[in-house]
Structure formats: C-alpha cells, structure tokens
C-alpha cells in the first residue's frame, strides 16, 4: 500500500510519455548527496499545478524498489550522474499521497488509521522475522527494522496538507496530525 508501491512508477511513466513532458531529473542530483546524512529533509514547495506531484512520483519511481526503471530513467539527464546506478531502485520508499481518502471516511481517526494500518501491514509483510510486536507504534517498528537490518527508508509525502481541507477535521485533530 505504501512501502515500495508501484504507483509512483506507473504515474511517472505515464507523465514521461506525455507530449509536453519536461525532464526534471536534475532535481534527483540534489537529493542523492543528502541520503543517509543528518541534514536530509527536503520540502519541495511550488504553487498549485506546478508539478509537485510529478516530482514526488519521479523520486518514488527512481529510488523505490518496486520496479526496474532503467528503461525510463536511462534516457534522462539523471542517467549521466555519477550516483545514478548506485541509487536507481535501491531504496525502501514509503510513498504516501495524503489526498487519498478511505471509503466513507467521516472522521480524522478513520483517515489516520488507514495510514497507520497500511504502514504496519506493509512493514510486517516485508519484515516478518524482524518485527517483534506489531502493536508498537509505526515509528517504533521502523526503528526496530533499522536497528536489526540497518536498512533506511525514504519517505515521500504528497499532498500532506490535504487533511486540513476536509470538513470533518477539528482544530485539535489538526494539531494531532502535525505531531503524527
């Protein structure tokens, strides 16, 4: 659902086939050197309709293990970058589009529980022999996976602020969401 999902690849592949596609893979050259470093958080902001989702899908497709993307990225600018082969489809990516709503969602708890349960299910499926307690918080499970495997995760969060535009969310829940 969220871990190494094929969705960013499929969406980016469709966009790359569009008549008016512009190669923006040079952005990946800025992200790669930050992997594994302390100052590794990026927030890509643009006005509405300026390609943030396309960039999120591009990063998810490039870094994620869901699909072999050599055919897609091999013809783009990033292919000439020194770290290209080292990072192409070699990372665990947790990709969350926060604008995707559960069916008949009417509360903040339904919304956030879908994400929490989806993350836990993905991690349990991928690391069944590593996770000692599926009832732990997601962040504790991620920490346990790292401690036992040394595998890190790249988080790509698209439309993170979508919840703020939903009529059912209260001000208190908005604060809870920001802490999440």
């Amino acid at each position: 659902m969220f871990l190494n999902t094929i969705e960013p690849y499929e969406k980016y592949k469709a966009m790359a086939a569009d008549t008016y596609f512009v190669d923006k893979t040079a952005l990946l050259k800025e992200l790669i050197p930050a992997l594994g470093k302390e100052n590794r958080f990026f927030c890509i902001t643009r006005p509405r309709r300026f390609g943030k989702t396309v960039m999120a899908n591009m990063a998810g497709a490039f870094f994620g293990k869901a699909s072999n993307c050599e055919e897609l990225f091999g013809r783009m600018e990033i292919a000439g970058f020194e770290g290209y082969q080292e990072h192409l489809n070699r990372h665990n990516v947790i990709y969350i589009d926060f604008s995707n709503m559960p069916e008949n969602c009417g509360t903040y708890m339904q919304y956030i529980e879908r994400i929490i349960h989806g993350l836990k299910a993905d991690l349990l499926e991928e690391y069944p022999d590593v996770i000692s307690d599926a009832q732990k918080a997601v962040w504790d499970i991620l920490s346990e996976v790292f401690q036992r495997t040394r595998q890190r995760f790249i988080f790509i969060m698209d439309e993170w602020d979508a919840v703020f535009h939903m009529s059912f969310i209260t001000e208190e829940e908005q604060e809870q969401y920001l802490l999440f």
Side-chain angles (χ1 to χ4, degrees):
M1 187 171 189
F2 300 114
L3 175 63
N4 294 324
T5 175
I6 193 83
E7 193 172 334
Y9 166 74
E10 290 297 329
K11 288 180 177 179
Y12 188 68
K13 183 172 99 175
M15 185 61 71
D18 192 7
T19 305
Y20 301 105
F21 173 75
V22 176
D23 179 358
K24 295 185 180 179
T25 57
L27 171 73
L28 297 168
K29 292 189 239 179
E30 295 180 40
L31 301 178
I32 289 172
L35 295 175
K37 301 239 168 96
E38 188 61 31
N39 190 14
R40 63 196 178 278
F41 303 99
F42 291 89
C43 179
I44 299 172
T45 60
R46 301 276 188 277
R48 290 186 52 74
R49 313 299 323 149
F50 270 72
K52 294 181 296 293
T53 295
V54 173
M55 286 188 262
N57 288 327
M58 174 184 67
F62 180 81
F63 290 116
K65 295 178 178 180
S67 182
N68 180 347
C69 295
E70 177 65 41
E71 184 179 313
L72 178 60
F73 287 101
R75 59 185 171 85
M76 295 188 191
E77 184 177 340
I78 189 64
F81 182 62
E82 186 178 312
Y84 172 72
Q85 287 295 333
E86 181 184 345
H87 294 284
L88 179 68
N89 305 127
R90 303 283 174 98
H91 299 275
N92 286 310
V93 170
I94 294 176
Y95 182 95
I96 305 172
D97 179 346
F98 285 93
S99 67
N100 290 339
M101 296 290 295
E103 189 174 8
N104 301 319
C105 182
T107 69
Y108 170 71
M109 286 313 298
Q110 288 175 323
Y111 174 80
I112 207 70
E113 283 178 5
R114 173 185 173 266
I115 295 167
I116 291 169
H117 292 298
L119 284 169
K120 285 183 177 184
D122 287 353
L123 291 165
L124 283 168
E125 183 178 326
E126 187 69 23
Y127 301 97
D129 299 330
V130 174
I131 298 169
S132 63
D133 181 3
Q135 300 307 310
K136 289 181 179 180
V138 170
W139 316 120
D140 293 333
I141 292 172
L142 288 167
S143 180
E144 183 174 26
V145 169
F146 175 71
Q147 291 297 324
R148 293 182 178 200
T149 67
R150 294 294 189 246
Q151 292 184 20
R152 297 180 186 270
F153 298 86
I154 295 174
F155 280 80
I156 299 175
M157 297 178 275
D158 195 20
E159 299 288 344
W160 74 271
D161 62 338
V163 71
F164 291 98
H165 307 291
M166 297 171 193
S167 60
F168 56 76
I169 190 168
T170 67
E171 202 170 302
E172 182 180 319
E173 290 169 333
Q174 289 176 349
E175 290 179 30
Q176 290 174 8
Y177 175 72
L178 290 173
L179 290 173
F180 169 76

